[in-house]
Amino acid sequence: MFQLHPQLSNDCEHIGRFELCELLLMRDANYPWCILVPARADITEIHQLDESDRLLLMRESNYLAETMAKLFTADKMNIAALGNVVPQLHIHHIARHRNDASWPAPVWGKVPARAYTLETLARTVMQLREALRVHLKSA
Amino acid sequence: MFQLHPQLSNDCEHIGRFELCELLLMRDANYPWCILVPARADITEIHQLDESDRLLLMRESNYLAETMAKLFTADKMNIAALGNVVPQLHIHHIARHRNDASWPAPVWGKVPARAYTLETLARTVMQLREALRVHLKSA
């Protein structure tokens, strides 16, 4: 039975659900930073998913990356499945800009998370739901 | 016309070629660290690949990750497409261990690369070619 890892629930805002993945927004206003979590129990690696789930993940990841790149006019998308701390499989999708807080370094461990204002958080969530509405099953 | 980015050539050992990707080994003995580079010109993001190349990349990435996880008895695979410094699309596949130099942090910017001895480099390249031989077209 799939349950979102408590640290992901705690650090993120829930945006909605794709066919396979839960879509989260990391509460760090330094970067537009989404996370896909395949809603499958006891999976820590992409290659542990079955073939049809791998395909869904690839499609959802590409759709999310392409949409974020446009929506946030990213200079580069950073996409990563790490999971050394939170083992539940989750894939980071971060829209990077040449003038962001950590550029050109990867975002992890570089600068502390910056809190969103409530207004900016609400606007970002709404922008994402609107931009991704074709494939978001619920929001 | 595809040409491997000079920084990737410079930092890596060439292991072989899959149907879509060149397979490289990063010369950093801190971690078993492979890189897949789709042999397509002028691509910086996974979502810029066409549908059939996306499928090939997914298969080659999963095959590589699963093989590395077994070969190096990894505690966790770290898989990432960053490219803030080297824009040519390349996907890191790093076998992580709980006692490695940067655990549990991501590897980038944590500790300096550690040189391989020639013997260990040669052995690692041969182990990878042997373990991946079913899908490596040339080595």
Side-chain angles (χ1 to χ4, degrees):
Chain A
M1 175 85 175
F2 171 78
Q3 268 205 310
L4 193 61
H5 190 286
Q7 191 168 333
L8 293 173
S9 313
N10 193 58
D11 296 346
C12 299
E13 203 66 28
H14 189 250
I15 304 285
R17 172 69 187 259
F18 290 120
E19 187 171 345
L20 174 66
C21 295
E22 297 291 348
L23 173 62
L24 310 175
L25 176 72
M26 179 73 98
R27 279 199 216 86
D28 181 349
N30 283 311
Y31 330 89
W33 182 341
C34 289
I35 298 181
L36 286 179
V37 187
R40 298 288 182 259
D42 305 321
I43 297 282
T44 60
E45 302 282 0
I46 295 170
H47 64 259
Q48 293 166 349
L49 294 169
D50 69 24
E51 180 70 16
S52 64
D53 282 350
R54 290 181 191 188
L55 272 172
L56 284 173
L57 176 58
M58 183 191 74
R59 288 195 193 124
E60 293 173 10
S61 173
N62 281 316
Y63 175 63
L64 176 60
E66 191 163 10
T67 304
M68 289 181 73
K70 280 185 208 155
L71 179 61
F72 301 110
T73 56
D75 292 313
K76 188 72 192 70
M77 290 302 299
N78 285 180
I79 299 174
L82 304 175
N84 306 336
V85 177
V86 173
Q88 181 174 74
L89 179 61
H90 61 286
I91 301 100
H92 301 276
H93 292 68
I94 309 159
R96 302 298 308 273
H97 295 95
R98 287 194 187 88
N99 62 352
D100 73 30
S102 305
W103 184 269
V107 301
W108 300 277
K110 205 68 191 169
V111 299
R114 187 161 62 84
Y116 272 102
T117 63
L118 191 56
E119 291 77 4
T120 312
L121 182 60
R123 193 178 63 234
T124 307
V125 169
M126 279 180 49
Q127 282 180 316
L128 282 164
R129 285 188 180 143
E130 170 64 18
L132 296 163
R133 69 190 179 285
V134 175
H135 293 289
L136 271 186
K137 292 162 79 80
S138 68
Chain B
M1 174 86 174
F2 171 77
Q3 269 205 309
L4 193 61
H5 190 286
Q7 192 168 333
L8 293 173
S9 313
N10 194 58
D11 296 347
C12 299
E13 203 66 28
H14 188 251
I15 305 285
R17 172 69 187 261
F18 290 121
E19 187 171 344
L20 174 65
C21 295
E22 297 292 348
L23 173 62
L24 310 175
L25 176 72
M26 180 73 98
R27 276 199 217 86
D28 181 349
N30 284 310
Y31 330 90
W33 180 343
C34 289
I35 299 181
L36 285 179
V37 187
R40 298 289 182 257
D42 305 322
I43 297 283
T44 59
E45 303 281 359
I46 295 171
H47 64 258
Q48 293 166 350
L49 295 170
D50 69 25
E51 180 70 15
S52 63
D53 282 350
R54 289 180 192 189
L55 272 171
L56 284 173
L57 176 59
M58 182 191 73
R59 288 196 192 124
E60 293 173 9
S61 172
N62 281 316
Y63 176 63
L64 176 61
E66 192 162 8
T67 305
M68 290 180 72
K70 278 185 211 155
L71 180 61
F72 301 110
T73 56
D75 292 315
K76 188 73 192 70
M77 290 302 299
N78 286 180
I79 298 173
L82 304 174
N84 306 335
V85 176
V86 172
Q88 180 175 74
L89 179 61
H90 60 287
I91 302 99
H92 302 275
H93 292 68
I94 309 158
R96 302 298 308 275
H97 295 95
R98 287 193 187 90
N99 62 352
D100 73 29
S102 306
W103 184 271
V107 301
W108 300 275
K110 206 66 190 170
V111 298
R114 185 161 63 84
Y116 272 102
T117 63
L118 191 55
E119 292 76 6
T120 312
L121 183 61
R123 194 178 61 235
T124 306
V125 168
M126 279 180 48
Q127 281 180 317
L128 282 163
R129 285 188 182 144
E130 170 64 18
L132 297 163
R133 69 189 180 285
V134 175
H135 293 289
L136 272 186
K137 292 161 81 80
S138 67

